[in-house]
Amino acid sequence: MTSGTRGRGMLLLLFIFFAAPLLLVLLMHQYDWHPQGSSRGEMLAPHPLSLPPDLQNTSGAPVSKAIWDARWSMVLVSTDCAADCQQRLHQMRQLQVSLAKDVERVQRVLVASQAPVQVLLAQYPDLHIFHQPASAIAALQQQFVRGPGLYLVDPLGNVMMFYAPEVPAADIRKDMTRLLRYAWAG
């Protein structure tokens, strides 16, 4: 094989190496093919929603926006924190603990109109509980258009994902570990 033939072969390989990805992207665009994600939750689209500014803590004082800074939040929204809500709170704690090195990057929040506050704080001392009237909970659920469930809030205070009550905690954990691996915030 001569040096000229070998040079042309190398040039052809370089062309294929750099042109093939471009051709693949053009074909994907032409045929409107988008790979499906493997998220278990529902992404709130087209844009993340902001949390309402008038949340109150259990003593009725307004919640500071600083609570959302620097941490991802798992927010459970429920009108009455009965047995199913308390089961989900337990799953949230187990989920947070299972994040291992990222445990400090996530906090748990309960937004409810009726909750056994003292009992919950005894069981979960690091749980943030925000008390809202039932009408405010209904308005919050209408704003999010998803109803009761678990919401994932980024460190900027944007509600990004929703998990229905029937989504297993293991599936939420898969999403959270992937998210925390690639997230620059929090």
Side-chain angles (χ1 to χ4, degrees), residues 12 19 22-23 33 40 43 66 68-69 81 89 104 106 109 112 114 121 128 130-131 137 155 166 177 184:
L12 179 64
L22 285 172
L23 291 173
W33 181 73
R40 277 56 169 195
M43 185 72 125
W68 307 112
D69 291 345
C81 197
L89 286 173
E104 293 297 320
V106 178
V109 177
Q114 297 177 3
L121 287 177
H128 298 282
F130 301 152
H131 177 75
I137 295 284
E166 60 271 2
T177 53
W184 57 268

Side-chain angles (χ1 to χ4, degrees), residues 36-175:
Q36 296 296 319
S38 60
S39 175
R40 277 56 169 195
E42 180 182 344
M43 185 72 125
L44 299 179
H47 303 290
L49 302 165
S50 295
L51 282 169
D54 56 348
L55 289 174
Q56 302 171 0
N57 62 19
T58 54
S59 61
V63 173
S64 168
K65 287 190 181 246
I67 196 154
W68 307 112
D69 291 345
R71 289 178 122 188
W72 289 85
S73 302
M74 290 185 289
V75 180
L76 181 62
V77 178
S78 177
T79 50
D80 180 23
C81 197
D84 57 338
C85 169
Q86 292 183 25
Q87 175 64 28
R88 194 58 153 185
L89 286 173
H90 178 73
Q91 290 174 350
M92 286 170 57
R93 181 179 64 180
Q94 300 299 85
L95 175 64
Q96 183 186 18
V97 169
S98 74
L99 294 174
K101 66 177 181 161
D102 291 323
V103 72
E104 293 297 320
R105 295 178 65 189
V106 178
Q107 66 183 348
R108 293 170 289 123
V109 177
L110 170 65
V111 179
S113 58
Q114 297 177 3
V117 176
Q118 298 306 325
V119 172
L120 292 176
L121 287 177
Q123 286 180 327
Y124 313 109
D126 58 343
L127 176 68
H128 298 282
I129 301 176
F130 301 152
H131 177 75
Q132 295 296 107
S135 60
I137 295 284
L140 186 64
Q141 290 174 348
Q142 275 187 335
Q143 175 189 353
F144 295 154
V145 195
R146 301 299 186 272
L150 183 66
Y151 293 88
L152 188 59
V153 180
D154 73 4
L156 303 174
N158 297 315
V159 183
M160 301 187 60
M161 293 197 74
F162 169 72
Y163 296 94
E166 60 271 2
V167 174
D171 288 347
I172 299 171
R173 184 184 185 286
K174 289 176 185 175
D175 281 355

